[in-house]
């Protein structure tokens, strides 16, 4: 549970930033080199590299070397952490409402 | 019980064989709320304080997953006894937390009461600065899950 929560935090932090979301959006239409990604932004290339590092550490982007360039690819799987997190709340309210029903009907 | 999860909002409904007044008491009386609020083994409430008036504060302390203590607090926004209760929700277990909103709609008809809880603004809780990006992220997520289901 603690590990899951930490993982969720990493994913949440990664997608909370608009530039990183734009990068992910770009990669959704296919793999791109770091240079191609950076070409879409006014931000400096080192800044884009930094964003990419964060996305990689969250597992949302995978990259490999190809000659002199680095090719990045989207991995959407960690986004499931977002739905797990919502599921937690969903289960919480399911159970709470059931308990409320039992509690109130018992004491009627 | 019919869950309708849309975007970053959770909606749950249940029908209860009791009057709306009785249910509203259970929602608002701290001693009673501790008895039903939470999930067994996780989020077990142990202490609650409540100043039931618009703008009044509430807080609940309890034992969360892994035996860790937790604290949730907020403020009452709307109180229309016995049919409506709205309060903000701010948990302490998420360092990026910001407020979300919990709304209880209580409607009685012929001795049976429908309670609907709507917990909204959940995503902004973990990404307070850029809330407008969440619909996009949720759309990606949906696309990903659908692709998996059809695979």
């Amino acid at each position: 549970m603690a590990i899951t929560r930490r993982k969720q935090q990493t994913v949440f932090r990664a997608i909370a930033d608009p530039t990183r979301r734009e990068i992910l959006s770009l990669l959704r239409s296919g793999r791109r080199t770091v240079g191609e990604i950076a070409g879409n932004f006014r931000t400096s290339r080192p800044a884009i590299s930094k964003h990419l590092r964060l996305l990689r550490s969250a597992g949302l982007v995978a990259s490999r070397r190809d000659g002199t360039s680095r090719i990045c690819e989207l991995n959407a799987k960690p986004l499931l952490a977002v739905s797990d997190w919502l599921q937690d709340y969903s289960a919480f309210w399911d159970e709470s409402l059931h308990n409320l029903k039992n509690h109130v009907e018992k004491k009627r | 019980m019919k869950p309708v999860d849309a975007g970053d909002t959770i909606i749950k409904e249940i029908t209860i064989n009791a009057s709306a007044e009785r249910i509203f008491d259970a929602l608002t009386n701290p001693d009673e709320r501790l008895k039903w609020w939470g999930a067994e083994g996780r989020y077990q409430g142990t202490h609650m304080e409540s100043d039931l008036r618009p703008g009044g504060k509430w807080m609940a302390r309890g034992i969360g997953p892994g035996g860790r203590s937790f604290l949730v607090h907020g403020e009452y926004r709307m109180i229309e006894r016995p049919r409506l209760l709205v309060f903000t929700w701010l948990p302490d277990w998420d360092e990026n937390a910001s407020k979300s909103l919990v709304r209880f709609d209580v409607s009685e008809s012929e001795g049976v009461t429908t309670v609907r809880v709507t917990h909204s603004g959940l995503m902004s809780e973990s990404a307070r600065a850029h809330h407008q990006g969440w619909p996009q992220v949720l759309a990606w997520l949906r696309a990903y899950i659908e692709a998996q289901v059809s695979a």
Side-chain angles (χ1 to χ4, degrees):
Chain A
M1 193 76 182
I3 292 161
T4 315
R5 192 141 277 157
R6 204 168 307 132
K7 195 175 145 200
Q8 284 170 7
Q9 286 291 334
T10 321
V11 175
F12 282 134
R13 205 162 295 140
I15 55 185
D17 179 88
T19 304
R20 289 197 286 275
R21 281 202 304 272
E22 263 186 75
I23 293 173
L24 292 175
S25 192
L26 263 176
L27 293 176
R28 260 175 70 80
S29 53
R31 53 187 65 157
R32 296 266 197 291
T33 65
V34 176
E36 285 166 347
I37 294 169
N40 282 276
F41 295 93
R42 284 181 160 179
T43 328
S44 71
R45 184 151 167 173
I48 293 297
S49 293
K50 204 175 157 192
H51 283 308
L52 282 169
R53 266 202 302 280
L54 218 144
L55 287 170
R56 273 207 303 273
S57 74
L60 287 162
V61 166
S63 71
R64 60 183 167 80
R65 281 228 160 268
D66 180 38
T68 54
S69 53
R70 184 175 275 280
I71 298 177
C72 298
E73 196 173 7
L74 176 74
N75 174 28
K77 199 175 172 190
L79 287 177
L80 289 177
V82 176
S83 90
D84 287 351
W85 183 77
L86 275 178
Q87 283 303 313
D88 262 10
Y89 263 113
S90 179
F92 172 84
W93 286 118
D94 263 339
E95 202 160 333
S96 283
L97 285 184
H98 269 298
N99 293 344
L100 171 67
K101 181 181 169 76
N102 290 339
H103 171 71
V104 170
E105 290 184 350
K106 189 173 60 195
K107 287 182 72 176
R108 193 149 50 106
Chain B
M1 185 165 305
K2 183 179 61 180
V4 187
D5 300 341
D8 71 344
T9 299
I10 287 172
I11 302 171
K12 302 280 180 184
E13 231 178 64
I14 197 165
T15 53
I16 298 179
N17 294 311
S19 69
E21 283 285 344
R22 173 70 195 94
I23 291 163
F24 199 83
D25 278 343
L27 294 180
T28 52
N29 178 315
D31 290 339
E32 283 208 66
R33 202 165 119 181
L34 283 178
K35 292 201 175 101
W36 60 267
W37 185 79
E40 200 161 346
R42 330 179 283 160
Y43 305 112
Q44 200 71 54
T46 54
H47 176 76
M48 181 165 176
E49 284 169 30
S50 167
D51 179 14
L52 189 65
R53 59 187 172 86
K57 305 254 193 279
W58 70 272
M59 68 83 95
R61 209 177 279 136
I63 308 297
R68 288 195 339 208
S69 65
F70 72 86
L71 189 139
V72 188
H73 63 107
E75 202 178 282
Y76 290 107
R77 286 286 167 82
M78 279 149 85
I79 303 163
E80 290 172 27
R81 189 183 183 91
R83 49 167 221 90
L84 178 67
L85 181 69
V86 181
F87 51 86
T88 59
W89 172 286
L90 183 59
D92 75 338
W93 59 75
D94 184 344
E95 61 189 75
N96 296 318
S98 70
K99 281 186 197 112
S100 54
L101 203 66
V102 176
R103 176 190 173 111
F104 278 97
D105 287 283
V106 183
S107 62
E108 185 180 341
S109 172
E110 292 164 13
V112 177
T113 305
T114 302
V115 177
R116 177 199 289 201
V117 60
T118 308
H119 196 159
S120 60
L122 276 168
M123 282 307 186
S124 57
E125 197 178 271
S126 273
R128 64 191 151 175
H130 303 289
H131 190 196
Q132 72 277 10
W134 280 102
Q136 186 187 19
V137 172
L138 289 168
W140 296 344
L141 178 63
R142 210 167 301 129
Y144 174 74
I145 291 171
E146 279 165 12
Q148 280 209 319
V149 169
S150 62

